[in-house]
Amino acid sequence: MTEFYLIRHGQTAANVMKMKQGTINNEMTYLNKNGQKQAQTLANNFDISFADRIICSPLHRTEQTTDILNHQAHLPVSFDKRLLEISYGQWDGQKNADLRKIHPDAYNDYWDDVLPIYVKYATDGETFDGVINRVHDFLIDTMHQYPDEKIICVTHGFTVKAAALDVLKPKDPMSLPEPGNTSVTKIIGLSDQEFYLEYYNQKFN
């Protein structure tokens, strides 16, 4: 049995601006002061020393979160591109409010977030299924590589959602929200065909 603890990075300026960060990696997408505080609060209330290793998305905001969480535990850290955030293509770096005005049919009213059909307009963006598939591959490969280990995965909002969607396979991907900053989601892998979502978007504060 492999245990995955998926943690979303702390808050960034782009989060506050309700911007599509995607795979942008500049100062606007680094942890702001509140994001650093969020990560420290998680570190204080969720001791990761029980785990065997950390696997991190190779973006600065996840690296910063990892550094804060791992300050005391000193777990081995590696990086995997399959944990990257969804790339919204031409929409990366744009505000949701502006995009919704132009393409209202690409947005879900309840969550005020993009629907899978957004790629009709952001033609260079990743599809929802594309992200789910790469996260699925990550879970399978990592389970095989590290059987019986407990693994911290520091990643992104849609990426965590994609992992949950892969396990739950709901008819509507919008039935599940993206998890909040520095939330923890636990997934159990028993075999290639048997995964369980033990909890989702859990806050430790």
Side-chain angles (χ1 to χ4, degrees):
M1 180 177 76
T2 303
E3 298 179 17
F4 296 90
Y5 297 83
L6 292 88
I7 297 174
R8 185 184 176 189
H9 61 80
Q11 187 186 73
T12 69
N15 287 150
V16 175
M17 297 169 66
K18 299 187 182 304
M19 182 179 290
K20 287 277 171 267
Q21 293 186 98
T23 55
I24 293 174
N25 203 31
N26 59 29
E27 190 171 348
M28 186 171 55
T29 66
Y30 299 167
L31 297 194
N32 59 19
K33 288 184 179 180
N34 187 52
Q36 294 172 33
K37 182 179 178 181
Q38 290 174 331
Q40 187 59 59
T41 298
L42 179 60
N44 294 341
N45 292 283
F46 184 68
D47 182 1
I48 66 169
S49 61
F50 70 89
D52 295 287
R53 66 187 66 253
I54 299 173
I55 306 177
C56 181
S57 160
L59 293 180
H60 191 61
R61 58 190 182 267
T62 44
E63 291 184 46
Q64 287 178 291
T65 305
T66 294
D67 288 344
I68 294 169
L69 293 177
N70 200 32
H71 181 70
Q72 298 291 337
H74 304 294
L75 298 177
V77 179
S78 60
F79 299 91
D80 196 306
K81 290 182 178 179
R82 291 173 294 184
L83 291 178
L84 283 167
E85 180 61 297
I86 184 173
S87 171
Y88 293 98
Q90 302 98 313
W91 285 15
D92 278 358
Q94 298 192 53
K95 293 181 180 179
N96 271 315
D98 295 336
L99 291 167
R100 184 165 187 168
K101 287 178 182 177
I102 302 169
H103 304 293
D105 60 313
Y107 272 75
N108 172 273
D109 289 333
Y110 185 77
W111 298 122
D112 191 27
D113 207 353
V114 295
L115 294 162
I117 65 162
Y118 90 95
V119 291
K120 178 170 66 173
Y121 305 111
T123 53
D124 291 337
E126 279 188 279
T127 64
F128 282 27
D129 285 343
V131 181
I132 293 169
N133 289 339
R134 66 168 159 89
V135 174
H136 173 84
D137 289 345
F138 167 81
L139 293 172
I140 295 290
D141 291 348
T142 305
M143 181 180 64
H144 289 171
Q145 187 173 2
Y146 303 113
D148 303 316
E149 286 200 359
K150 298 175 176 65
I151 300 170
I152 305 293
C153 302
V154 185
T155 181
H156 307 270
F158 189 87
T159 313
V160 176
K161 174 176 173 171
L165 291 174
D166 183 54
V167 174
L168 299 175
K169 297 175 174 58
K171 290 182 179 180
D172 182 2
M174 302 309 294
S175 63
L176 194 67
E178 285 194 23
N181 292 111
T182 63
S183 63
V184 184
T185 293
K186 183 178 179 181
I187 290 176
I188 301 294
L190 299 181
S191 72
D192 287 11
Q193 290 78 37
E194 193 173 6
F195 281 83
Y196 296 95
L197 180 65
E198 194 158 302
Y199 54 78
Y200 183 78
N201 195 25
Q202 184 74 42
K203 296 298 181 76
F204 291 85
N205 51 30

